[in-house]
């Protein structure tokens, strides 16, 4: 992107920020499962916390809730207690690394959500009540497009669709966008390409998705960023600690920090896979 475009985007973003009252809700989703949503959501939350935001992570994966495990916390109460009316949002909210807020999911919530769908919709519609507790909510949704996921996506201000360069992941991402369009979602879809070896992989993957979306769906897409394939991610998951805590200098976390900067309206050049990390951090610090 040229410098002028960058300045313009920054101005627009600052203006939008001023217009926006209080809370901003991001839904992180994917067509195919296992593409890296939870790892991305947690670490995006940490990177945004470092940029001065008050972040709440919402475990929207009602089938296989695991955001708490990724954050290394053991919740006493979960969304299950919220949905069945036993506890309030404030009572189930726990604090994770860097003081990040976590609304944990619970096993068995899937069954409950089927019975208490109305209640879930009410909770989603009342997300704005979290305003006093944070300024950014990140919902880590389950994969695919069940009714619950669709409700989360509709309630969000911004949708972040995570895909990998794999053809199956791309096909499923396209399927998800098609359903979104059918449901009259007017969101711009922000794409994050995970597990890339080099920048070109991400750009090629994005181009493929974008040309299909433009031709058949008339949906606007934006490449929010990419994350390098990085052994640190698996190692951190084994430790039940986010990479932002265990491996803050890893290429994957540097990419997520870069994406967090864009989300905050600071546009920097992307980190390079090898050797560029130090330069990237220097630029990040200089931008304050
Ligand atoms: N950038 C990366 N580099 C290497 N491995 C990665 C990367 N991102 C994710 N992974 C691996 O992919 C696996 C799935 O990640 P994660 O649990 O975040 O995906 P998910 O989309 O949340 O899955 P689900 O759909 O089951 O909720 C993890 O085991 C992790 O080690
Ligand atoms: Mg997950």
């Amino acid at each position: 992107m040229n410098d002028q475009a960058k300045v313009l985007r920054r101005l627009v973003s600052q203006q939008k920020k001023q217009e926006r009252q209080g809370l901003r809700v991001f839904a992180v989703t994917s067509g195919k499962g296992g593409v890296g949503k939870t790892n991305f959501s947690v670490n995006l939350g940490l990177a945004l916390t470092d940029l001065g935001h008050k972040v709440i992570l919402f475990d929207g994966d009602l089938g296989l809730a695991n955001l708490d495990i990724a954050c290394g916390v053991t919740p006493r109460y979960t969304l299950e207690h919220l949905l069945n009316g036993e506890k309030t949002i404030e009572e189930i909210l726990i604090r994770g690394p860097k003081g990040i807020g976590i609304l944990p999911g619970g096993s068995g919530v899937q069954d409950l959500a089927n019975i208490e769908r109305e209640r879930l919709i009410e909770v989603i519609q009342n997300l704005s009540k979290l305003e006093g507790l944070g300024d950014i909510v990140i919902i880590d949704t389950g994969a695919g497009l069940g009714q619950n996921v669709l409700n989360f996506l509709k309630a969000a201000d911004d949708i972040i669709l995570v895909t990998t360069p794999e053809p199956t992941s791309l096909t499923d991402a396209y399927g998800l966008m098609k359903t979104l369009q059918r449901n009259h979602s007017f969101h711009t879809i922000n794409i994050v390409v995970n597990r890339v070896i080099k920048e070109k992989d991400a750009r090629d993957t994005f181009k493929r998705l974008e040309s299909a979306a433009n031709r058949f769906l008339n949906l606007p897409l934006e490449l929010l960023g990419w994350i390098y394939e990085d052994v640190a991610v698996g190692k951190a998951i084994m430790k039940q600690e986010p990479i932002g805590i265990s491996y803050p200098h890893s290429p994957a976390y540097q990419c997520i920090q870069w994406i967090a900067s864009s989300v905050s309206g600071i546009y920097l050049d992307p980190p390079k896979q090898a050797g560029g990390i130090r330069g990237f951090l220097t630029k990040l610090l200089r931008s304050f």
Side-chain angles (χ1 to χ4, degrees), residues 38-39 42-43 46 57 59 61 63-76 78 94-97 102-107 140 233-243 245-246:
T38 301
N39 175 61
V42 168
N43 289 292
L46 293 179
L57 298 172
D59 198 339
D61 192 341
L64 290 163
N66 59 5
L67 200 73
D68 48 336
I69 298 170
C71 291
V73 295
T74 315
R76 192 150 161 220
T78 66
I94 50 168
R95 296 283 160 192
I102 302 163
L103 291 171
S107 50
D140 175 21
V233 177
K235 283 197 216 163
I237 288 174
M238 289 305 286
K239 285 190 180 183
Q240 297 194 8
E241 220 175 39
I243 37 165
I245 301 293
S246 299

Side-chain angles (χ1 to χ4, degrees), residues 268-270 278-288:
L268 304 167
D269 291 335
R278 196 173 293 269
F280 168 71
L281 273 184
T282 312
K283 266 187 238 157
L284 182 62
L285 290 173
R286 240 191 257 139
S287 71
F288 285 102

Side-chain angles (χ1 to χ4, degrees), residues 14-51:
Q14 273 165 2
Q15 196 181 351
K16 268 194 189 158
K17 231 191 247 169
Q18 280 158 9
E19 282 167 10
R20 204 182 289 127
Q21 295 287 309
L23 198 75
R24 191 168 167 197
V25 180
F26 291 87
V28 175
T29 195
S30 70
K32 188 172 177 275
V35 295
K37 291 179 296 298
T38 301
N39 175 61
F40 172 68
S41 302
V42 168
N43 289 292
L44 178 69
L46 293 179
L48 285 168
T49 304
D50 278 341
L51 291 174

